[in-house]
Amino acid sequence: MHYLGDGSVEIQSGTIQFALTSSSAGTYDVADGATLAFSGNTHTLSPASSVSGDGGIRIISGTVNQQGEFTLAGPIRTEGGVLSVDADFGTASPVTVAGGTLNFNGATTVPGVLGGGSGILGGIGVITVDGPMTMNG
């Protein structure tokens, strides 16, 4: 899906996947059990954007630049590509870096990190891990 917009996207169930280039200053509300997914190309969520809710995010491929508020409570998973989170961030869910790159560029607190394969956890921010951290590969 190609999306250029500043409105609201509510993901109430299932998965919405953005595969074409997208740019947004809008809000994304991801309900419990739902997933916001990105694959291919470049996706920019401006400083005015917001990604929140009890659901999760999945980065399959491509580059996602999250510059606005990022307060997801659900699973955060990178399988390929790059997710760069420029805002301060905290979550109650473990973060999985199965592949690709996850950059935290603000103050970040996570309860645990599970890394596997060829994933990279990076960025210029301070990452506080309040639980187990396992990095394989």
Side-chain angles (χ1 to χ4, degrees):
M1 172 185 272
H2 183 73
Y3 181 68
L4 300 172
D6 297 337
S8 295
V9 176
E10 291 186 19
I11 307 163
Q12 297 177 350
S13 64
T15 299
I16 185 169
Q17 181 172 326
F18 294 95
L20 300 175
T21 299
S22 64
S23 178
S24 175
T27 61
Y28 297 80
D29 183 18
V30 187
D32 187 26
T35 303
L36 172 61
F38 294 93
S39 63
N41 295 301
T42 300
H43 310 276
T44 301
L45 302 170
S46 79
S49 70
S50 170
V51 177
S52 61
D54 293 327
I57 189 169
R58 180 177 168 214
I59 309 303
I60 301 163
S61 61
T63 299
V64 178
N65 297 307
Q66 172 57 40
Q67 301 166 344
E69 180 183 358
F70 191 71
T71 56
L72 282 177
I76 298 161
R77 181 177 176 86
T78 61
E79 298 171 4
V82 177
L83 171 60
S84 290
V85 180
D86 292 338
D88 291 350
F89 172 70
T91 183
S93 293
V95 174
T96 302
V97 186
T101 301
L102 176 56
N103 292 321
F104 288 116
N105 297 319
T108 302
T109 302
V110 296
V113 176
L114 174 61
S118 60
I120 298 169
L121 179 64
I124 59 173
V126 174
I127 301 171
T128 302
V129 180
D130 287 336
M133 181 169 177
T134 305
M135 298 299 286
N136 299 321

